[in-house]
Amino acid sequence: MQDEPTPIELTKSVADFLRNDIAPLISGHQAFKLRVAINILDLVTRQLTREEGSDAAEVARLRALLGMDGSVTDLNRALAQRIAKGEVDLATPGLAEHLWATTMDKLAVDQPNYASYKRELGRGG
Amino acid sequence: MIEAELSRSVRRWCKGATGVTGAAKLSGGASQETWRFDITHPDGEIGAILRRSPKGYGAAPTRAAGLAAEAQLMQLAFEAGVPSPRVMHVLVPEDDLGTGFIMQRVEGETIARKILRDDQYKAARPHLARQIGGILAGLHRLPKNRLPELRSRGATQEISEFERDYRSLNWPKPVFELALRWLRDHDPGPSTETTLVHGDFRNGNLIIGADGVRAVLDWELAHLGDPMEDLGWVCVNSWRFGEIDRPVGGFGTREELFAGYEAAGRKVDPERVKFWEVMGTLRWGIMCGGMMQRFREGPDHSMERAMIGRRASETEIDLLRLLAPRGS
């Protein structure tokens, strides 16, 4: 076990420093790049915060769908192959729900401000 | 310094021109650059744009039409009344500027967020979707016998090509697999007519002013194919910049786009447009994957490129909204 503070706390502290103390001092193209850098740190912080829970839920759904076990990467590869072969499709019970849940979890990390995501979140998903 | 070469060049083909000022690079990677500059002329300065492959970068990437073809298409479009910059000069070896062309600069805005939000464009916005329909109709009507040599791509070939691109990424994505299956199952086959297709007609490649669309840019993906491809691509959610209920670039409805297209005497096939919208959404998703790959392996190790890689998930939610909508 590693010592504290946690990676989440560390990345958040760097992002906050850049946002609050450095951003006001920078202009032009470097300001744009600084915003990208802050966005990256924010994304990483969200991923570190959420990934464990969302991966566990994703693996549980994939196991039920596929009837097999494996890492989240292996299971995704297997599902991709079965869809490609036509063995699994939108008529398969649980597939649409699984893809929706997985995609919503990804957007929560990647682009929580993306308009399609906000719309779907509003649907209670 | 590029200004010396540009000055020598304009003095040869632009009557009265004495030189150039203010050359500035606008964008471009190693193989293709865009520069702006002003031609000094007794009748007043002429704003100009240079698009070129610098010396040593002759060969275009496989999907690109090539700069010579681009110049020819823009000139044809200009003559046919499709909003397009006037091509002033196609580079020759004596210019010592590489290969490419010089066109007249069209003033206006290409940044979608500004066009969609700023007051300056408020009066134009409600008309843009219909206007775009008319422009696409004009573009699809350009005389085929005057077009440069272009690759020809129909739906079936495009699916195979994108599938190959996607598989080469080794990036298993169940939603992309689902979209590929859907595209194969809904492949409309060869279209009844083959026309010029712009190939990248969307927000960002249109110069817009308070009066509407002033120019269509970036013809590098032009090809021969199904005209409905352009109508589908302009509806891809990624070009709506948050205005998701206005499918046509965040400006307006499909109905307005179709009405503008049909008012100009051409027929819309909405099923085919939907097919190309799904295809376009997947296409942008795979392009995001390509950015990730180039970030990892290539010379452009930039943060921006890395973050575009993480935008593939946006296309996944958009594909699900198209193919497996909830609560319907």
Side-chain angles (χ1 to χ4, degrees), chain A residues 34-95:
Chain A
L34 179 62
R35 266 204 312 282
V36 177
I38 294 168
N39 287 341
I40 289 180
L41 290 168
D42 287 345
L43 187 155
V44 171
T45 305
R46 288 192 299 270
Q47 180 158 341
L48 291 168
T49 308
R50 306 182 67 117
E51 190 170 30
E52 210 180 324
S54 64
D55 275 9
E58 188 177 348
V59 165
R61 287 192 305 269
L62 283 164
R63 278 182 184 163
L65 258 174
L66 299 169
M68 60 181 275
D69 204 357
S71 70
V72 69
T73 312
D74 295 342
L75 291 169
N76 266 299
R77 199 173 289 275
L79 177 60
Q81 273 166 9
R82 287 196 198 177
I83 295 172
K85 285 185 193 155
E87 294 166 5
V88 172
D89 61 25
L90 285 172
T92 308
L95 181 73

Side-chain angles (χ1 to χ4, degrees), chain A residues 33 40 43 47 76-77 80 83-84 90 99-100 103 106-107 110-111 114-117 119-120 125, chain B residues 170 173-174 177-178 181 237 242 244-245 303 307 310-311 313-314 316-318 320-321 323-324 326:
Chain A
K33 289 184 77 165
I40 289 180
L43 187 155
Q47 180 158 341
N76 266 299
R77 199 173 289 275
I83 295 172
L90 285 172
L99 294 177
W100 266 110
T103 303
K106 279 203 216 189
L107 268 296
D110 286 343
Q111 305 292 345
Y114 193 58
S116 307
Y117 171 71
R119 175 71 53 87
E120 295 296 335
Chain B
N170 188 26
K173 285 175 131 2
E177 297 287 356
L178 198 70
R181 288 294 302 189
N237 190 53
I244 58 175
D245 298 318
M303 294 184 297
M307 279 300 261
R310 290 297 287 249
R311 293 185 59 185
S313 52
E314 298 178 356
E316 292 183 89
I317 196 170
D318 290 333
L320 286 179
R321 278 167 64 81
L323 305 181
R326 298 194 299 180

Side-chain angles (χ1 to χ4, degrees), chain B residues 31-57:
Chain B
S31 66
Q32 204 159 97
E33 297 175 350
T34 305
W35 293 77
R36 65 172 282 154
F37 60 97
D38 294 303
I39 300 172
T40 313
H41 195 278
D43 298 341
E45 288 204 328
I46 306 167
I49 295 281
L50 164 71
R51 295 252 299 150
R52 69 156 184 177
S53 289
K55 282 161 274 180
Y57 286 98

Side-chain angles (χ1 to χ4, degrees), chain B residues 73-292:
Chain B
L73 289 168
M74 290 177 105
Q75 190 57 28
L76 265 182
F78 179 80
E79 288 165 13
V82 174
S84 180
R86 188 168 68 82
V87 176
M88 301 167 79
H89 176 69
V90 176
L91 297 182
V92 293
E94 297 90 292
D95 290 310
D96 201 24
L97 281 162
T99 56
F101 59 95
I102 291 166
M103 58 186 156
Q104 200 152 10
R105 194 163 72 234
V106 176
E107 298 299 338
E109 187 57 68
T110 57
I111 298 172
R113 284 177 198 285
K114 290 191 181 174
I115 298 162
L116 291 172
R117 313 241 192 297
D118 288 4
D119 274 352
Q120 205 181 336
Y121 310 102
K122 199 174 170 184
R125 278 195 290 267
H127 308 293
L128 286 172
R130 193 184 163 95
Q131 193 193 0
I132 281 169
I135 292 170
L136 281 173
L139 202 154
H140 294 154
R141 209 188 271 120
L142 292 181
K144 274 170 81 176
N145 58 0
R146 294 189 60 199
L147 299 177
E149 200 173 318
L150 296 166
R151 76 195 160 90
S152 181
R153 280 286 185 285
T156 312
Q157 291 161 297
E158 283 289 80
I159 301 169
S160 299
E161 202 158 305
F162 289 130
E163 177 158 10
R164 199 197 55 211
D165 290 351
Y166 159 69
R167 302 240 176 266
S168 77
L169 294 170
N170 188 26
W171 202 37
K173 285 175 131 2
V175 175
F176 282 12
E177 297 287 356
L178 198 70
L180 281 166
R181 288 294 302 189
W182 187 94
L183 290 167
R184 289 231 179 272
D185 293 343
H186 294 79
D187 180 353
S191 58
T192 45
E193 60 163 351
T194 299
T195 68
L196 172 70
V197 176
H198 179 278
D200 201 10
F201 191 100
R202 60 172 170 87
N203 237 327
N205 286 337
L206 302 172
I207 296 182
I208 288 172
D211 48 346
V213 179
R214 290 180 183 167
V216 180
L217 302 177
D218 283 326
W219 294 70
E220 58 185 297
L221 296 177
H223 58 275
L224 299 175
D226 180 353
M228 296 303 111
E229 180 182 342
D230 279 332
L231 277 71
W233 182 240
V234 78
C235 290
V236 168
N237 190 53
S238 310
W239 325 132
R240 298 181 204 168
F241 295 87
E243 300 292 331
I244 58 175
D245 298 318
R246 298 197 182 93
V248 186
F251 306 128
T253 63
R254 290 187 187 82
E255 291 70 28
E256 290 167 307
L257 173 77
F258 296 173
Y261 195 76
E262 298 202 326
R266 290 193 46 90
K267 191 106 195 65
V268 173
D269 181 339
E271 283 297 307
R272 276 183 182 268
V273 176
K274 157 106 190 235
F275 169 85
W276 286 108
E277 184 180 336
V278 174
M279 177 88 96
T281 308
L282 178 67
R283 171 180 162 192
W284 172 234
I286 295 170
M287 285 165 74
C288 292
M291 298 281 187
M292 174 199 70

